[in-house]
């Protein structure tokens, strides 16, 4: 029955394949052509199914893995299992959804954050920084914010793209949420110039940290 269910779901995902969506996704490093709104609608219909989620993950198909991350129970995974899943995540969207929808809600998030921050693989390390950024915004107690800024200042300029993006997000979040570190965060962003020339559509906020920090603080202050 489980195999039949997986086959049915894979057939439905295949039917949702859209060449235009695939072209857009491939420009961002993703290798599927399923509209994410339709994927979420399918997940809503399937509801939480741990066994089905596991089987979908094992297909190594990106759309199936994204669906698996939407229908799995986040607290059901062990620390080693999540670590293995992260290292198996080949595309940015699968990586991001695993961290944001599963790991952040899992009781092992704290130990994984610390382990991943120190990992020599920059893609794995970027997950550690993503978890740290959430802590900066929501649960900063116990974090060494000045120490994080030291690391960002020393390492972000020459970091690989995925890691650099994650560190830059953390830099911006420190500046936005913690006024006592704002001046230094902006100064680091200005000195390093990371993402200063990033193409930003009209009406969107630039990921360049000094602009990002200034704009979000302006909105918060009304």
């Amino acid at each position: 029955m489980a195999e039949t269910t997986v086959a049915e779901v894979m057939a439905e995902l295949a039917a949702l394949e859209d060449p235009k969506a695939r072209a857009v996704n491939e420009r961002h490093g993703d290798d599927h052509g399923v509209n994410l709104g339709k994927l979420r609608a399918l997940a809503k219909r399937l509801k939480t199914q741990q066994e089905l989620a596991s089987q979908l993950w094992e297909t190594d198909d990106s759309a199936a893995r994204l669906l698996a991350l939407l229908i799995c129970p986040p607290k059901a995974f062990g620390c080693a299992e999540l670590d293995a899943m992260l290292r198996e995540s080949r595309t940015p969207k699968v990586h991001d959804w695993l961290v944001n929808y599963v790991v952040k809600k899992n009781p092992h998030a704290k130990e994984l954050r610390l382990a991943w921050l120190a990992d020599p693989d920059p893609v794995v390390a970027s997950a550690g920084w993503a978890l740290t950024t959430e802590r900066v915004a929501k649960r900063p107690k116990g974090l060494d914010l000045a120490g994080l800024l030291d690391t960002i200042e020393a390492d972000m300029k020459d970091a690989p793209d995925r890691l650099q993006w994650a560190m830059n997000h953390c830099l911006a979040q420190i500046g936005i949420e913690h006024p006592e570190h704002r001046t230094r965060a902006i100064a680091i962003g200005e000195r390093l110039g990371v993402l200063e020339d990033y193409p930003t559509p009209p009406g969107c906020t630039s990921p360049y940290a000094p602009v990002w920090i200034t704009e979000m603080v302006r909105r918060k202050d009304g």
Side-chain angles (χ1 to χ4, degrees):
M1 180 66 73
E3 290 181 2
T4 303
T5 303
V6 171
E8 289 173 352
V9 172
M10 295 302 291
E12 189 158 356
L13 289 173
L16 292 173
E17 175 77 17
D18 179 351
K20 291 182 179 179
R22 178 174 285 276
V24 171
N25 290 332
E26 286 181 346
R27 288 201 294 270
H28 298 94
D30 294 309
D31 59 355
H32 71 90
V34 179
N35 175 279
L36 296 182
K38 293 179 179 179
L39 192 75
R40 292 180 188 279
L42 176 55
K44 187 175 181 180
R45 196 174 81 238
L46 291 171
K47 301 180 180 178
T48 302
Q49 297 191 51
Q50 183 177 358
E51 184 177 354
L52 177 58
S54 296
Q55 301 245 357
L56 289 170
W57 182 269
E58 290 301 320
T59 66
D60 195 29
D61 176 86
S62 289
R65 284 189 162 182
L66 290 172
L67 182 60
L69 295 170
L70 293 175
I71 66 171
C72 72
K75 296 180 180 179
F77 298 96
C79 188
E81 190 173 10
L82 288 173
D83 182 73
M85 290 171 69
L86 185 81
R87 295 173 193 278
E88 293 170 3
S89 298
R90 297 177 293 97
T91 64
K93 186 64 70 177
V94 172
H95 178 277
D96 291 345
W97 280 23
L98 174 63
V99 172
N100 287 296
Y101 297 164
V102 181
V103 179
K104 285 182 179 180
K105 301 175 183 179
N106 184 277
H108 298 291
K110 180 178 180 180
E111 58 192 292
L112 287 170
R113 181 183 77 82
L114 295 173
W116 289 343
L117 270 178
D119 199 278
D121 183 331
V123 175
V124 175
S126 73
W129 279 96
L131 294 172
T132 300
T133 299
E134 187 196 39
R135 281 282 309 275
V136 166
K138 297 182 179 179
R139 300 183 307 281
K141 186 176 180 179
L143 287 179
D144 178 7
L145 297 178
L148 289 172
L149 289 176
D150 289 343
T151 301
I152 291 168
E153 188 168 23
D155 299 341
M156 183 173 74
K157 180 74 172 179
D158 298 319
D161 288 350
R162 296 270 292 279
L163 179 56
Q164 184 184 75
W165 187 273
M167 294 177 81
N168 183 71
H169 190 181
C170 190
L171 172 65
Q173 207 65 54
I174 291 173
I176 293 164
E177 300 292 343
H178 301 279
E180 69 276 19
H181 295 287
R182 187 170 296 150
T183 299
R184 185 184 176 200
I186 291 174
I188 289 171
E190 289 175 341
R191 184 161 57 256
L192 299 183
V194 169
L195 300 176
E196 184 174 9
D197 299 322
Y198 190 84
T200 305
C204 296
T205 302
S206 169
Y208 175 50
V211 173
W212 190 354
I213 293 167
T214 301
E215 173 60 18
M216 296 310 294
V217 170
R218 183 191 68 79
R219 292 182 193 180
K220 288 176 67 174
D221 292 345

